[in-house]
């Protein structure tokens, strides 16, 4: 009887080892000097963009297959620069950035096919967490991984009232785009 248990354990260990792949996760951090996040908004009278290079981002890279398993991004709302200080101050006021200073995204559900990433994660903005899905592109650039993409959100989904200029409301959507370089 003991011999049977020993044989079963040996078979299970051999079978498990042959079907599992050892995952080697490596943390990679964003290079702030090269990376940026941009938001774009529209008003019937004009359109504008705000850019931030001041983000914190980290990915967990599975070095056995060079796929991104997880990501986290945090950016301060006050770090966005639209080249208009009045507009930037209004953005801080409308988004209540003194109470909710950061926008963050986290994901542990990333699928990759031919360097196209499908990211399912949680976006936290204005104290509201919302599940989002978007696509991004991954490419290798001289000892770095470059990830680019874009997606849209609705201010109203995050309990933000669209601002007005001259009594006319801006569009409800915010277009976000990003280019992030992670050092290998």
């Amino acid at each position: 009887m003991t011999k049977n248990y020993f044989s079963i354990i040996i078979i299970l260990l051999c079978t498990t080892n042959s079907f599992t792949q050892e995952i080697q996760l490596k943390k990679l951090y964003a290079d702030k000097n090269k990376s940026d996040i941009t938001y774009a908004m529209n008003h019937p009278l004009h359109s504008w963009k705000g850019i931030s290079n001041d983000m914190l981002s980290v990915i967990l890279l599975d070095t056995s297959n060079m796929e991104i398993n997880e990501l986290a991004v945090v950016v301060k709302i006050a770090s966005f620069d639209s080249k208009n200080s009045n507009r930037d101050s209004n953005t801080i006021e409308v988004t209540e950035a003194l109470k909710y200073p950061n926008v963050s995204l986290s994901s542990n559900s990333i699928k990759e096919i031919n360097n196209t990433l499908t990211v399912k994660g949680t976006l936290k903005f204005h104290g509201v967490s919302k599940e989002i899905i978007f696509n991004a592109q991954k490419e290798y650039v001289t000892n770095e991984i470059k990830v680019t993409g874009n997606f849209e959100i609705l201010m109203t989904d995050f309990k933000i009232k669209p601002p007005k200029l001259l009594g006319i409301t801006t569009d409800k959507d915010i277009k976000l785009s990003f280019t992030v370089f992670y050092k290998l």
Side-chain angles (χ1 to χ4, degrees), residues 80-128:
F80 285 94
D81 182 5
S82 70
K83 305 297 183 210
N84 180 318
S85 60
N86 287 335
R87 182 172 37 237
D88 295 339
S89 294
N90 191 47
T91 299
I92 291 169
E93 183 179 331
V94 168
T95 61
E96 297 181 276
L98 297 178
K99 185 175 181 180
Y100 309 106
N102 299 320
V103 176
S104 65
L105 172 69
S106 61
S107 174
N108 60 5
S109 177
I110 302 169
K111 302 209 182 327
E112 182 174 341
I113 299 173
N114 298 326
N115 291 331
T116 296
L117 307 173
T118 301
V119 180
K120 181 179 178 184
T122 302
L123 182 68
K124 188 171 183 181
F125 180 34
H126 193 246
V128 177

Side-chain angles (χ1 to χ4, degrees), residues 59-183:
I59 60 175
L60 286 180
L61 181 72
D62 180 347
T63 58
S64 68
N65 59 16
M66 297 304 284
E67 290 184 355
I68 299 170
N69 282 8
E70 296 183 40
L71 74 85
V73 180
V74 177
V75 62
K76 289 186 182 293
I77 293 169
S79 71
F80 285 94
D81 182 5
S82 70
K83 305 297 183 210
N84 180 318
S85 60
N86 287 335
R87 182 172 37 237
D88 295 339
S89 294
N90 191 47
T91 299
I92 291 169
E93 183 179 331
V94 168
T95 61
E96 297 181 276
L98 297 178
K99 185 175 181 180
Y100 309 106
N102 299 320
V103 176
S104 65
L105 172 69
S106 61
S107 174
N108 60 5
S109 177
I110 302 169
K111 302 209 182 327
E112 182 174 341
I113 299 173
N114 298 326
N115 291 331
T116 296
L117 307 173
T118 301
V119 180
K120 181 179 178 184
T122 302
L123 182 68
K124 188 171 183 181
F125 180 34
H126 193 246
V128 177
S129 295
K130 182 168 174 52
E131 294 295 316
I132 63 168
I133 298 174
F134 62 92
N135 290 327
Q137 298 299 312
K138 180 181 94 173
E139 65 181 281
Y140 295 95
V141 182
T142 316
N143 296 324
E144 294 179 311
I145 295 175
K146 177 182 175 184
V147 179
T148 58
N150 57 66
F151 59 94
E152 292 184 19
I153 60 171
L154 294 175
M155 286 185 268
T156 51
D157 285 347
F158 294 91
K159 299 181 182 175
I160 297 172
K161 187 176 178 182
K164 292 182 178 183
L165 176 65
L166 301 173
I168 303 170
T169 305
T170 65
D171 290 348
K172 294 178 184 174
D173 61 322
I174 301 173
K175 296 168 187 73
L176 297 157
S177 61
F178 54 89
T179 301
V180 187
F181 290 85
Y182 297 95
K183 296 178 184 183

Side-chain angles (χ1 to χ4, degrees), residues 18-47:
S18 66
F19 287 111
T20 61
Q21 178 183 23
E22 187 174 329
I23 295 176
Q24 298 291 325
L25 297 179
K26 180 178 181 182
K27 283 184 185 179
L28 301 180
Y29 297 92
D31 182 344
K32 286 185 178 184
N33 296 322
K34 293 182 174 182
S35 303
D36 63 67
I37 296 177
T38 302
Y39 80 86
M41 290 186 62
N42 293 310
H43 183 274
L45 300 177
H46 70 287
S47 299

